[in-house]
Amino acid sequence: MSNHDNLRIGILGASGYTGGELIRLLSRHPKTYIGAVSAEKHAGKSVAEIFPQFRHLNLPILQKIDDFQWDSLDLVFCALPHGMTQELVTRLPKHIKIIDLSADFRLRQPSLYQHWYGHPHRAIDLQAQAIYGLSEVYRREIARATLVACPGCYPTAAQLALIPLLKDGLIETTPIMIDAKSGISGAGRELKQNSLFCETIEGIHAYGVNGHRHIPEIEQGLSDAAGKPVSISFIPHLVPMSRGILETIYVRLALDVTTTDIRECWLKIYKNSHFIDILLVGSSPETRHVRGTNRCAMSVLNNPIPGYATILVTIDNLVKGASGQAIQNMNIMMGYQENLGLEHIALFP
Amino acid sequence: MSNHDNLRIGILGASGYTGGELIRLLSRHPKTYIGAVSAEKHAGKSVAEIFPQFRHLNLPILQKIDDFQWDSLDLVFCALPHGMTQELVTRLPKHIKIIDLSADFRLRQPSLYQHWYGHPHRAIDLQAQAIYGLSEVYRREIARATLVACPGCYPTAAQLALIPLLKDGLIETTPIMIDAKSGISGAGRELKQNSLFCETIEGIHAYGVNGHRHIPEIEQGLSDAAGKPVSISFIPHLVPMSRGILETIYVRLALDVTTTDIRECWLKIYKNSHFIDILLVGSSPETRHVRGTNRCAMSVLNNPIPGYATILVTIDNLVKGASGQAIQNMNIMMGYQENLGLEHIALFP
Amino acid sequence: MSNHDNLRIGILGASGYTGGELIRLLSRHPKTYIGAVSAEKHAGKSVAEIFPQFRHLNLPILQKIDDFQWDSLDLVFCALPHGMTQELVTRLPKHIKIIDLSADFRLRQPSLYQHWYGHPHRAIDLQAQAIYGLSEVYRREIARATLVACPGCYPTAAQLALIPLLKDGLIETTPIMIDAKSGISGAGRELKQNSLFCETIEGIHAYGVNGHRHIPEIEQGLSDAAGKPVSISFIPHLVPMSRGILETIYVRLALDVTTTDIRECWLKIYKNSHFIDILLVGSSPETRHVRGTNRCAMSVLNNPIPGYATILVTIDNLVKGASGQAIQNMNIMMGYQENLGLEHIALFP
Amino acid sequence: MSNHDNLRIGILGASGYTGGELIRLLSRHPKTYIGAVSAEKHAGKSVAEIFPQFRHLNLPILQKIDDFQWDSLDLVFCALPHGMTQELVTRLPKHIKIIDLSADFRLRQPSLYQHWYGHPHRAIDLQAQAIYGLSEVYRREIARATLVACPGCYPTAAQLALIPLLKDGLIETTPIMIDAKSGISGAGRELKQNSLFCETIEGIHAYGVNGHRHIPEIEQGLSDAAGKPVSISFIPHLVPMSRGILETIYVRLALDVTTTDIRECWLKIYKNSHFIDILLVGSSPETRHVRGTNRCAMSVLNNPIPGYATILVTIDNLVKGASGQAIQNMNIMMGYQENLGLEHIALFP
């Protein structure tokens, strides 16, 4: 792992859950070497102080970003809070490739960014260069990118299921109702009352019911696929579990389309996509079977209401929905095998 | 509680979760006296051997049903597995009032029962006499009943939210998409792999995706309300928590109807229904805030797709979805105050 | 409940978990009326905004303590952070009885307080007047008190089990090893990383291993009982559950004492103590069977090491370990029946 | 992985949790090839039907053991219920190496086996040949073994912590109090009421309080180390989590021994033991930081009672406590690097 031919990686924002997940995955990746890790508040500490599960690994000490030696790095993963990457990247040396896990470069329209994130975008030029890192859909573009904006967790699942169907015209653009369920790590490691054990165990509720920031991102991708504006209903629910997203999506079928056609479409599009599992019609994918992995499982159900179908799609929000897909994008950018270092099997039970 | 003027109650099937919940609620009800409890496999044991939380209560020893002294009872709650009550009730003395928590008398059409439960109904005459125990909707009929069929847990929540809207023509009859989430106690205390801790913690999945027995029950109630056949989509999901149902329901609004109209309709209909909490438009009811109580909370959300609305409704599946509503029905049948003995406040955290 | 003859209660610090629990219990207590509730940060809000499970109750608006009308109150429960009650109580009108749930008045020795809490005690005179509110042990003193210091959660369980044995000389004073397990609500509703869902689910660990603030409190009580200084080992563990304390206590038996003698001692001492359940020798009390209740269950096990015994004792940390015992003390102070308003049955599952 | 030079593995009893864990670990092991998997009840099914997380792997179909082609296998892991391996192994061809995860060959004394397992041992000759597979302690013996009896989960943790201390005479042989906490997967995948989600979530309790089958196994190992009979107190507790064991062990120090001496002893003995993490004195290892890994973390605490110390030790019961240690033993037997294929990092959160 410390082979000097390896890709030298920096991880910005290493003390959160996606940062920790990057460390977990990259420290076993055969082509990378973690050269620097940042955490502003914890600068000077060992990684093991904030993530004891890494205590037996040989990792660099946490630093402030400003103390990074940029010459000794080839590529950085940005796992910073929203709004921070866009300020930072303008200052980085040109040789550094950037894979951003925040929302900063996901939305093409600056006005949309401003509307949902509450402040004007601070790197509009770079936004135009950023490639949207939905790996299975934008492989070719990602391969040539130097700045990749990794999708949000909910948008990854929704788009992987729906983009092929909209491209092929198998479903109508309206109504699309996405009923999403997520584990609590989706809210990050910040201290919020809603993330406390006692506030979340033994219950479920919908949140963000009057508008969630992932809506414009999903609509952007679906509109591209459909070739016309798509407006969705999206209701996320908080489930008392750490990881996992399950989306139950209610769609209207195009004329004469069957659920078998939907499955066939996925099989065709994802023929060479190693991480996508297309289950049989009428199957039920479970979050626990993709937990800790970069896999995405999907199925379609016959819906008793004529002309409708129900789609189920699941990922691990911290892996395929964040750090795993980020590394998959790195693999694509560097010309490595796409699944390199990402062949984890779900831990069950 | 052992007052000899009190209503003398028998609980058939006291060793399951709804049986335990009946004991919890009735042992603090000011007008009842638990005179007999049955559990075929545990006959001869104390209740505390199967439910240690009751060890300080003075309860009768568990018996076989055939050993009951029917003369000493006025009313029985049947918390038996499906198929057993219909055999039993034909043999009971006429003076015994019956409140059934199983599915045996919920479906009016015997053919529908046979289709979903796999055997011909064995008490077709009684089925015709049974009153459907959705308390807030059928109060008047329940007050005169001698055999009440308590609704299933999912149907209770769905119908309380939708019946008023269909009656008043505020929503279209199609599409109605019910995305339901339930705790694991909904599967009962039977030994099933899918109910094991290790199979359910830290994950979520849809189940019964090719047809769930509560579908015909919901459709029966909604069709009655709409005055025409209603066909629904219903996808239940298993959430890693003990209790609670949350239903997220996607509906199409009738012409010119708003979410405010929906809320007004509920407020009007449930004006005198103590257990129903109508939240503000855009609110999110949580299962944990009704846990252990007989309450039902509901709200409506503006749906960004024109002409649609999203409804959220929550209950505790073991209380309002089973044993609590059963006792509410008893109160109605006996002319007691409807909320007598049912004023529990949710245990949170 | 709003009967004007009822005891007029103020709750200081109503937005935390013990505050919420006081509201849950007092709002169904037949002799009390909640006249004022405080939460400095939430002043002006309704209680339902911070505890939606109370939305159907008729409760006063949250206030700052300084805005309380003291004339309209008879008794206050203080559920404030440690250090705040001792400042406050010196300013309260004399007619107000005070039941404090914090640690402020638990330790008789001011130096001990200063050592463990890091600042000099600010109301040393009052400390001398405060009565330690371990209800079953100090009933007589509590009945005459105007300031009661309710025990900590761990000390309640440990002392209820051990005080009778030390008083009667059935166990040696050393070694006493208390291996304690607690749910996460013990850490309160404050925002701490260690209380986050993702940091606590699916794991267990010991904490406070180099000294926990409940140690001097337990040692004070045990020393009083033994008539000589007692020094204990106390290791608390954080269990991924909301509520409940289980203590497994390893003790050395006095010469010729048997586990039967221990049980007999408890039976004798707690003969008239309604909330104490003495199980058979070799039984295992479970936290879930006392959850939400004011009960305490204990048992003793034969230990294969000659001369030793193992004791198991369990309570709900928020009820018998905090708000329930506080109300029990109020009942004793006011001459009400000791179990009035406290007859809850555990919610299981 | 299907390299024909690889070690050809059979897994007997592949449908339980330790069987599933063997598949998870072996299917990524660079030197092994899973050639056959058995599950009597599921013969003919794919592994994915019982463990959907393996659906993308290329695994053999489940068979009955009697249908195995023994010529095509080199080594078998037996993850069968207790009592079955001892019958089976007498019938196996001589060339097959056997690693048994059951209790069948752990106890050297047949009478002890009969006492705790309720039937006479059925392969007493083989029992004499079996090597006890506590990898770090018996490496040399394991390297030459053909039949390895892997330790139980609790005994693995307890012995790794205590054997070095008893060997070096740092602690007294009495009293040793092991307060153990385990996740629910320790009870296996069998259908038991005590393993249901609703019976275990939100609570903790001690079980096996009148004698647990792991007691004689621990005592055997500790007595060997001490050179004289050791009798222990062992109380296991069931924690609402899937995986993980934490043992809090109360010991008496030999004269003049300090906790620093204990840590030094561990550091010396485990210098070349890759999987053992010795934490600083006063540290608290957490189950979640070894979850899914073959690691064992331990620390010692100063105990305020003079002459005593407290030890904390944690493993994942399904990995180091079962399938991981079994593979570690295979690595030792085959002369592979001891940590080959076992370098997993804990999944957190």
Side-chain angles (χ1 to χ4, degrees):
Chain A
M1 264 169 303
S2 57
N3 190 306
H4 53 73
D5 290 339
N6 276 6
L7 194 69
R8 299 166 308 167
I9 304 287
I11 299 172
L12 308 184
S15 60
Y17 292 142
T18 53
E21 201 67 356
L22 286 166
I23 295 173
R24 177 176 77 94
L25 299 169
L26 289 168
S27 61
R28 290 284 179 265
H29 191 286
K31 296 276 195 186
T32 62
Y33 164 73
I34 300 176
V37 288
S38 91
E40 302 301 302
K41 285 186 200 155
H42 298 286
K45 291 186 191 170
S46 72
V47 174
E49 284 180 79
I50 53 169
F51 285 124
Q53 72 270 27
F54 299 137
R55 61 190 157 221
H56 61 293
L57 301 180
N58 189 14
L59 292 168
I61 293 296
L62 290 160
Q63 291 179 281
K64 288 180 185 294
I65 293 174
D66 286 345
D67 295 338
F68 269 33
Q69 298 284 62
W70 295 105
D71 290 349
S72 66
L73 298 176
D74 302 309
L75 184 150
V76 296
F77 290 93
C78 299
L80 300 165
H82 303 313
M84 291 185 59
T85 313
Q86 53 189 262
E87 300 214 333
L88 176 77
V89 292
T90 58
R91 295 159 26 206
L92 292 191
K94 294 293 172 211
H95 78 277
I96 302 275
K97 291 180 196 292
I98 299 161
I99 299 179
D100 184 23
L101 285 84
S102 82
D104 279 17
F105 295 99
R106 290 175 190 160
L107 297 178
R108 280 198 307 269
Q109 272 184 266
S111 61
L112 211 52
Y113 179 87
Q114 181 163 357
H115 173 75
W116 286 92
Y117 291 88
H119 64 91
H121 201 282
R122 298 171 190 126
I124 290 185
D125 293 351
L126 278 170
Q127 174 122 345
Q129 296 168 32
I131 297 298
Y132 187 68
L134 189 64
S135 314
E136 281 76 8
V137 175
Y138 298 108
R139 265 191 201 103
R140 213 170 316 180
E141 295 81 355
I142 295 165
R144 295 188 303 253
T146 53
L147 169 56
V148 169
C150 292
C153 51
Y154 290 125
T156 295
Q159 293 177 93
L160 285 176
L162 296 176
I163 282 178
L165 310 182
L166 287 166
K167 274 192 180 157
D168 281 13
L170 297 186
I171 59 170
E172 301 291 341
T173 56
T174 190
I176 295 177
M177 310 288 196
I178 303 176
D179 192 284
K181 296 91 178 169
S182 175
I184 291 159
S185 66
R189 208 180 193 185
E190 286 163 72
L191 300 182
K192 301 175 194 170
Q193 193 178 72
N194 288 338
S195 299
L196 294 178
F197 183 92
C198 289
E199 305 282 326
T200 47
I201 192 77
E202 287 286 277
I204 187 172
H205 65 279
Y207 70 100
V209 295
N210 299 307
H212 186 283
R213 287 169 170 180
H214 284 174
I215 291 175
E217 184 184 344
I218 297 171
E219 290 180 342
Q220 172 180 278
L222 301 191
S223 299
D224 285 356
K228 62 177 170 178
V230 173
S231 186
I232 60 163
S233 163
F234 175 77
I235 304 285
H237 300 77
L238 199 62
V239 179
M241 60 185 189
S242 293
R243 293 169 178 245
I245 282 178
L246 176 69
E247 294 181 3
T248 312
I249 310 179
Y250 302 92
V251 295
R252 199 144 66 86
L253 296 166
L255 195 65
D256 292 336
V257 169
T258 67
T259 51
T260 305
D261 297 331
I262 285 184
R263 183 165 182 266
E264 294 293 332
C265 170
W266 286 336
L267 285 173
K268 181 191 64 184
I269 294 269
Y270 293 127
K271 193 175 38 176
N272 297 316
S273 289
H274 175 77
F275 294 118
I276 313 289
D277 289 322
I278 313 297
L279 308 191
L280 295 178
V281 173
S283 296
S284 176
E286 308 194 13
T287 62
R288 55 180 69 76
H289 297 138
V290 299
R291 187 171 49 183
T293 81
N294 201 47
R295 309 195 70 80
C296 172
M298 59 184 74
S299 71
V300 62
L301 312 174
N302 291 308
N303 186 313
I305 303 183
Y308 285 83
T310 307
I311 287 166
L312 293 166
V313 54
T314 186
I315 59 169
D316 181 320
N317 56 304
L318 293 181
V319 191
K320 184 60 180 166
S323 306
Q325 183 158 251
I327 293 170
Q328 186 180 358
N329 288 334
M330 178 195 76
N331 286 343
I332 295 171
M333 290 163 80
M334 304 306 301
Y336 305 152
Q337 204 179 325
E338 192 171 321
N339 59 340
L340 196 69
L342 292 171
E343 285 286 11
H344 301 77
I345 301 174
L347 193 69
F348 170 84
Chain B
M1 264 169 305
S2 56
N3 190 305
H4 54 72
D5 290 339
N6 276 7
L7 195 69
R8 300 166 307 168
I9 303 286
I11 299 173
L12 308 184
S15 60
Y17 292 142
T18 51
E21 201 66 357
L22 287 165
I23 295 173
R24 177 176 77 95
L25 300 169
L26 290 168
S27 61
R28 289 287 178 266
H29 190 287
K31 295 277 196 184
T32 61
Y33 164 72
I34 300 177
V37 288
S38 91
E40 301 301 304
K41 284 185 201 156
H42 298 285
K45 292 186 190 168
S46 72
V47 173
E49 283 179 80
I50 52 169
F51 286 123
Q53 73 270 29
F54 299 136
R55 61 191 155 219
H56 59 294
L57 301 180
N58 189 13
L59 292 167
I61 294 296
L62 290 161
Q63 292 179 280
K64 289 179 184 293
I65 294 174
D66 286 344
D67 296 338
F68 269 33
Q69 298 283 63
W70 297 104
D71 289 351
S72 66
L73 299 175
D74 301 310
L75 184 151
V76 295
F77 291 94
C78 299
L80 300 166
H82 302 316
M84 289 184 60
T85 315
Q86 53 191 261
E87 299 213 336
L88 176 77
V89 293
T90 57
R91 295 157 26 205
L92 293 191
K94 295 291 171 212
H95 78 278
I96 302 275
K97 290 179 196 290
I98 300 161
I99 298 179
D100 184 23
L101 286 84
S102 81
D104 279 16
F105 295 98
R106 291 175 189 159
L107 298 179
R108 281 197 305 269
Q109 273 183 267
S111 62
L112 211 52
Y113 179 88
Q114 180 163 357
H115 173 76
W116 285 92
Y117 290 88
H119 64 90
H121 201 282
R122 296 172 191 124
I124 291 185
D125 293 352
L126 280 170
Q127 175 119 345
Q129 298 169 30
I131 296 298
Y132 187 67
L134 188 64
S135 314
E136 281 77 7
V137 176
Y138 298 108
R139 264 189 202 105
R140 211 170 317 178
E141 294 82 353
I142 294 164
R144 294 188 305 252
T146 53
L147 168 57
V148 169
C150 292
C153 50
Y154 289 124
T156 294
Q159 293 177 93
L160 285 176
L162 297 177
I163 282 177
L165 309 182
L166 286 165
K167 272 192 182 158
D168 279 13
L170 296 186
I171 59 171
E172 301 292 341
T173 55
T174 189
I176 294 176
M177 310 287 194
I178 303 176
D179 191 285
K181 295 90 176 169
S182 174
I184 292 161
S185 65
R189 208 180 192 183
E190 286 162 71
L191 300 182
K192 302 176 193 170
Q193 194 178 74
N194 288 339
S195 299
L196 294 178
F197 183 92
C198 289
E199 307 281 326
T200 47
I201 192 78
E202 287 286 276
I204 186 172
H205 66 278
Y207 69 100
V209 293
N210 299 305
H212 186 284
R213 287 170 171 179
H214 285 173
I215 291 176
E217 184 183 345
I218 298 171
E219 289 180 343
Q220 171 181 282
L222 300 191
S223 299
D224 285 356
K228 60 177 171 177
V230 173
S231 187
I232 60 164
S233 163
F234 175 77
I235 304 285
H237 300 76
L238 199 63
V239 178
M241 59 185 189
S242 292
R243 290 169 180 246
I245 281 177
L246 177 68
E247 294 181 3
T248 312
I249 310 179
Y250 302 92
V251 295
R252 200 144 67 85
L253 296 167
L255 197 66
D256 292 336
V257 169
T258 68
T259 50
T260 305
D261 297 331
I262 285 184
R263 183 165 182 266
E264 295 294 331
C265 170
W266 286 336
L267 285 172
K268 179 192 65 182
I269 294 270
Y270 293 126
K271 193 175 37 176
N272 297 315
S273 288
H274 175 77
F275 295 119
I276 313 289
D277 289 322
I278 314 296
L279 308 190
L280 294 178
V281 174
S283 296
S284 177
E286 309 195 12
T287 60
R288 57 180 67 75
H289 297 139
V290 299
R291 186 171 47 184
T293 82
N294 200 47
R295 308 196 71 79
C296 172
M298 59 183 75
S299 71
V300 62
L301 312 174
N302 290 309
N303 187 312
I305 303 184
Y308 284 83
T310 307
I311 288 166
L312 293 166
V313 54
T314 187
I315 59 169
D316 180 322
N317 56 304
L318 293 181
V319 189
K320 184 60 180 168
S323 306
Q325 182 157 253
I327 293 169
Q328 186 180 357
N329 288 334
M330 176 196 77
N331 286 343
I332 296 170
M333 290 162 81
M334 303 307 301
Y336 305 152
Q337 205 179 324
E338 192 171 319
N339 58 343
L340 196 68
L342 292 172
E343 286 286 12
H344 301 78
I345 301 174
L347 193 70
F348 169 85
Chain C
M1 262 169 303
S2 57
N3 190 307
H4 53 73
D5 290 339
N6 277 5
L7 194 70
R8 299 166 308 167
I9 304 286
I11 299 172
L12 308 185
S15 61
Y17 292 143
T18 51
E21 201 67 357
L22 285 166
I23 296 173
R24 176 176 78 93
L25 299 170
L26 289 168
S27 61
R28 290 285 178 267
H29 190 287
K31 295 277 195 185
T32 62
Y33 162 74
I34 300 176
V37 287
S38 91
E40 300 300 302
K41 286 186 199 154
H42 298 286
K45 291 186 190 168
S46 72
V47 174
E49 283 178 80
I50 52 169
F51 285 123
Q53 72 271 26
F54 299 137
R55 63 191 155 221
H56 61 291
L57 301 180
N58 188 15
L59 293 166
I61 294 296
L62 290 160
Q63 291 178 282
K64 289 179 185 293
I65 293 174
D66 286 343
D67 296 338
F68 269 33
Q69 298 283 62
W70 296 105
D71 291 350
S72 67
L73 298 175
D74 303 309
L75 183 151
V76 295
F77 291 93
C78 299
L80 299 166
H82 302 315
M84 290 185 60
T85 313
Q86 53 190 259
E87 300 214 334
L88 177 76
V89 293
T90 57
R91 295 156 29 205
L92 292 192
K94 296 291 172 215
H95 78 278
I96 301 275
K97 291 180 197 292
I98 300 161
I99 299 179
D100 184 23
L101 287 82
S102 82
D104 279 17
F105 295 99
R106 291 175 190 161
L107 297 179
R108 280 197 307 267
Q109 273 184 265
S111 61
L112 210 53
Y113 180 88
Q114 181 163 355
H115 173 76
W116 286 92
Y117 291 88
H119 64 90
H121 201 281
R122 298 172 190 123
I124 290 184
D125 292 352
L126 278 170
Q127 175 121 345
Q129 298 170 30
I131 296 298
Y132 188 66
L134 188 65
S135 314
E136 280 76 8
V137 175
Y138 299 107
R139 261 190 205 104
R140 213 171 316 183
E141 294 81 353
I142 295 164
R144 295 187 304 252
T146 54
L147 168 57
V148 169
C150 292
C153 50
Y154 290 124
T156 295
Q159 292 176 94
L160 285 176
L162 296 177
I163 283 178
L165 309 182
L166 287 165
K167 274 191 181 158
D168 280 13
L170 297 186
I171 59 172
E172 302 292 340
T173 55
T174 190
I176 295 176
M177 310 287 195
I178 303 176
D179 192 284
K181 297 91 178 167
S182 173
I184 292 160
S185 66
R189 208 181 193 183
E190 286 163 71
L191 299 182
K192 303 176 192 168
Q193 194 179 72
N194 288 338
S195 299
L196 294 179
F197 182 92
C198 289
E199 306 281 327
T200 46
I201 192 79
E202 287 286 277
I204 187 171
H205 65 279
Y207 70 100
V209 294
N210 299 305
H212 186 284
R213 287 171 170 178
H214 285 173
I215 291 175
E217 185 183 345
I218 297 171
E219 289 180 342
Q220 171 180 279
L222 301 191
S223 300
D224 285 356
K228 61 177 171 179
V230 173
S231 187
I232 60 164
S233 163
F234 175 77
I235 304 285
H237 301 75
L238 199 62
V239 179
M241 60 185 189
S242 292
R243 292 170 179 244
I245 282 178
L246 177 69
E247 294 180 4
T248 312
I249 310 178
Y250 302 93
V251 295
R252 200 143 67 86
L253 296 167
L255 196 67
D256 292 337
V257 169
T258 67
T259 50
T260 304
D261 297 331
I262 286 186
R263 183 166 182 266
E264 293 294 331
C265 170
W266 286 336
L267 285 173
K268 178 192 66 184
I269 294 270
Y270 293 128
K271 192 174 40 174
N272 297 315
S273 288
H274 174 78
F275 294 119
I276 313 290
D277 289 321
I278 314 296
L279 308 191
L280 295 178
V281 173
S283 295
S284 177
E286 310 195 11
T287 61
R288 57 180 68 75
H289 297 138
V290 299
R291 185 170 51 183
T293 82
N294 200 48
R295 309 195 71 80
C296 172
M298 59 184 73
S299 71
V300 62
L301 311 175
N302 291 308
N303 187 313
I305 303 184
Y308 284 83
T310 308
I311 288 166
L312 294 166
V313 54
T314 186
I315 59 170
D316 181 320
N317 56 304
L318 293 181
V319 190
K320 183 60 179 167
S323 306
Q325 183 158 252
I327 293 169
Q328 185 180 357
N329 288 335
M330 176 195 76
N331 286 343
I332 295 171
M333 290 162 81
M334 302 307 300
Y336 306 152
Q337 203 179 326
E338 192 171 318
N339 59 340
L340 196 68
L342 292 171
E343 285 285 13
H344 301 78
I345 301 173
L347 193 69
F348 170 84
Chain D
M1 263 168 304
S2 57
N3 190 306
H4 53 73
D5 290 339
N6 276 7
L7 194 70
R8 299 167 306 167
I9 304 287
I11 299 172
L12 308 184
S15 61
Y17 291 143
T18 52
E21 201 67 356
L22 286 167
I23 295 174
R24 177 175 79 93
L25 299 169
L26 290 168
S27 61
R28 289 286 179 266
H29 191 286
K31 296 276 194 187
T32 61
Y33 164 72
I34 300 176
V37 287
S38 91
E40 301 301 301
K41 285 187 199 154
H42 298 285
K45 290 186 191 169
S46 72
V47 173
E49 282 178 81
I50 52 170
F51 285 123
Q53 73 270 28
F54 299 137
R55 61 190 155 220
H56 60 293
L57 301 179
N58 189 14
L59 292 167
I61 294 296
L62 290 161
Q63 290 179 283
K64 288 179 185 295
I65 294 175
D66 287 344
D67 295 337
F68 269 33
Q69 298 284 62
W70 295 105
D71 290 350
S72 66
L73 298 175
D74 302 310
L75 184 151
V76 296
F77 291 93
C78 299
L80 299 167
H82 301 316
M84 290 184 61
T85 313
Q86 54 190 258
E87 299 213 335
L88 177 76
V89 293
T90 56
R91 293 158 27 206
L92 292 191
K94 295 290 171 213
H95 77 278
I96 301 274
K97 289 179 196 293
I98 300 161
I99 298 179
D100 184 23
L101 287 84
S102 82
D104 279 17
F105 295 98
R106 291 175 190 161
L107 297 179
R108 280 199 306 269
Q109 271 183 268
S111 61
L112 211 52
Y113 179 88
Q114 180 164 357
H115 173 75
W116 285 93
Y117 290 87
H119 63 90
H121 201 282
R122 297 173 190 123
I124 291 185
D125 293 351
L126 280 170
Q127 175 119 344
Q129 297 170 30
I131 297 298
Y132 188 67
L134 188 65
S135 314
E136 282 76 9
V137 176
Y138 298 108
R139 264 192 202 102
R140 210 170 317 181
E141 294 82 353
I142 295 165
R144 295 188 303 252
T146 53
L147 169 57
V148 169
C150 292
C153 50
Y154 289 124
T156 294
Q159 293 178 92
L160 285 176
L162 296 177
I163 282 178
L165 310 182
L166 287 166
K167 273 191 181 157
D168 280 14
L170 298 185
I171 59 171
E172 301 292 342
T173 55
T174 189
I176 295 177
M177 310 286 196
I178 303 177
D179 192 285
K181 296 89 175 169
S182 173
I184 293 160
S185 66
R189 207 180 194 185
E190 286 162 72
L191 300 181
K192 302 176 193 168
Q193 193 178 73
N194 288 339
S195 299
L196 293 179
F197 182 93
C198 289
E199 305 282 326
T200 48
I201 193 78
E202 287 285 275
I204 187 172
H205 66 279
Y207 70 99
V209 294
N210 299 307
H212 186 284
R213 287 171 170 178
H214 284 174
I215 291 176
E217 184 184 344
I218 298 172
E219 290 181 341
Q220 172 180 279
L222 300 191
S223 299
D224 285 356
K228 61 178 170 176
V230 173
S231 186
I232 61 164
S233 163
F234 175 78
I235 304 286
H237 300 76
L238 198 63
V239 179
M241 60 186 189
S242 292
R243 291 169 179 246
I245 281 177
L246 177 68
E247 294 181 3
T248 311
I249 309 179
Y250 302 92
V251 295
R252 200 145 66 86
L253 296 167
L255 196 66
D256 291 335
V257 169
T258 67
T259 51
T260 304
D261 297 331
I262 285 185
R263 184 166 180 266
E264 295 294 333
C265 170
W266 286 336
L267 285 172
K268 180 191 65 181
I269 294 269
Y270 293 126
K271 192 175 38 175
N272 297 316
S273 288
H274 174 78
F275 294 118
I276 313 289
D277 289 323
I278 314 295
L279 308 191
L280 295 177
V281 173
S283 296
S284 177
E286 309 195 12
T287 61
R288 56 179 69 74
H289 297 139
V290 299
R291 187 172 48 184
T293 82
N294 200 47
R295 308 196 70 80
C296 172
M298 58 185 75
S299 72
V300 62
L301 312 174
N302 290 309
N303 187 313
I305 303 184
Y308 285 83
T310 308
I311 288 166
L312 293 166
V313 54
T314 186
I315 59 170
D316 182 321
N317 56 304
L318 292 181
V319 191
K320 184 61 179 167
S323 306
Q325 182 157 255
I327 293 169
Q328 186 180 357
N329 288 336
M330 177 196 76
N331 287 343
I332 295 170
M333 289 162 81
M334 303 307 301
Y336 306 152
Q337 205 179 323
E338 193 171 318
N339 59 341
L340 196 68
L342 292 172
E343 285 286 12
H344 301 78
I345 301 173
L347 192 72
F348 170 84

